[in-house]
Amino acid sequence: MKDDTDFLEKSVTLICKVVCESSHQLTRLVWTKDNNEINVLNSEGKYTGGEIDNPSLKITNVNASDAGIYQCCASNVVGSTHSEQVTLALPNVKLLIKEKDIKNGALKLQATIKSIPDAFKVEWKAKMTSDNEFRPINLQEETYKGSTTSLPNPLLVVNKYNSKNWETYRIEVTNFLGVMFVTSQEALEETQLPAERTIDSLNGR
C-alpha cells in the first residue's frame, strides 16, 4: 500500500497491488471505509478504480468528510485477504525542542509531519501576550533567521528568546481535510520535569 496526493486535482490515490497465482485469479476486489464497503459505481465520480483490473482507489475532491480508515479486500477461489489499513486524517504533527539556550536567548523548535493526504501548507505563528491571538511570523526578520517551512521537518529558530516574557509559538499544518496546530507550550512541557512545568506555565510556555 502506498498513497499519492495530487494537489492540482485535489485528489488522493490509495495505491494497491495484488499478486496471485495464475491458476487462482481474482474473483472480487472491494474497498472499505471504516469497515463499510465502498460502492464505487454509485459514488457519482467521488471514487474511481477499486476493481480487479485497477485495484488502486482514487478519491477526488478530498475534504473533511473523507477522513477514515481505508482497506482493500481481494478474493479468489482459495479465500480472501486484506491490505494494511490506510488512515486519512488531519496532519500528524510532532513538535520538539531541538535547542533551548536561555542564557544566549536561543530557541529552536523542530516539527515532524506525517500526513495522508500530503500536507501542502506550513505556517509558524506567535502570540506575544497572554490575551493576543496568534499572528503569522515574518521568517525574513533577523529574530527568526534560519527558520523554514519545508516539509516534512520545518524548523523555527528564535534568536531573541526570553522565557520570562509571553512568547508562545504555534505551527499550523494544512492538508485537504483541515488544519492541525501544535503550540510551543506543548513541546516545552513534554521535555520538562513536573516541577518545572508549573513554573513555565506561569510564563506562558
Side-chain angles (χ1 to χ4, degrees):
M1 290 291 299
K2 295 182 179 180
D3 62 276
D4 181 33
T5 301
D6 189 317
F7 295 113
L8 293 178
E9 288 190 352
K10 199 178 178 182
S11 68
V12 61
T13 300
L14 305 180
I15 302 171
C16 180
K17 294 184 179 180
V18 183
V19 179
C20 58
E21 297 179 6
S22 58
S23 58
H24 298 121
Q25 293 297 311
L26 290 179
T27 56
R28 188 167 186 262
L29 187 140
V30 297
W31 279 85
T32 60
K33 176 187 177 185
D34 298 329
N35 294 319
N36 298 311
E37 186 175 323
I38 295 174
N39 190 330
V40 175
L41 294 178
N42 294 331
S43 67
E44 299 181 345
K46 179 66 175 179
Y47 305 104
T48 54
E51 54 191 8
I52 293 176
D53 294 333
N54 181 19
S56 299
L57 181 71
K58 182 177 181 180
I59 309 171
T60 60
N61 191 30
V62 179
N63 54 58
S65 66
D66 295 309
I69 300 173
Y70 293 78
Q71 193 170 34
C72 180
C73 178
S75 307
N76 62 12
V77 294
V78 178
S80 301
T81 186
H82 294 80
S83 71
E84 61 187 283
Q85 296 179 334
V86 179
T87 302
L88 267 65
L90 293 175
N92 183 313
V93 183
K94 185 72 172 180
L95 188 61
L96 295 173
I97 296 174
K98 188 174 182 180
E99 180 183 331
K100 183 181 178 183
D101 186 347
I102 302 301
K103 181 178 179 180
N104 295 309
L107 176 68
K108 292 183 180 180
L109 297 173
Q110 181 88 62
T112 300
I113 299 169
K114 297 180 180 179
S115 180
I116 303 178
D118 291 344
F120 60 84
K121 182 181 179 182
V122 174
E123 190 170 28
W124 292 103
K125 293 186 176 182
K127 181 170 66 172
M128 296 306 180
T129 66
S130 61
D131 55 354
N132 275 356
E133 63 182 49
F134 284 94
R135 300 183 183 279
I137 292 173
N138 181 359
L139 300 185
Q140 303 303 314
E141 292 181 5
E142 190 67 25
T143 299
Y144 306 107
K145 186 177 180 180
S147 300
T148 72
T149 55
S150 303
L151 292 163
N153 299 115
L155 174 69
L156 178 66
V157 178
V158 185
N159 297 302
K160 297 179 181 179
Y161 177 69
N162 185 349
S163 63
K164 295 182 180 180
N165 297 329
W166 268 94
E167 288 179 309
T168 302
Y169 301 94
R170 183 165 84 181
I171 185 172
E172 296 185 359
V173 185
T174 307
N175 68 7
F176 295 144
L177 276 63
V179 183
M180 175 62 73
F181 59 85
V182 179
T183 67
S184 59
Q185 179 177 350
E186 297 171 69
L188 290 166
E189 287 179 350
E190 282 193 11
T191 59
Q192 293 166 349
L193 297 173
E196 294 176 312
R197 294 184 181 184
T198 303
I199 296 173
D200 236 21
S201 64
L202 293 175
N203 291 326
R205 302 276 72 77

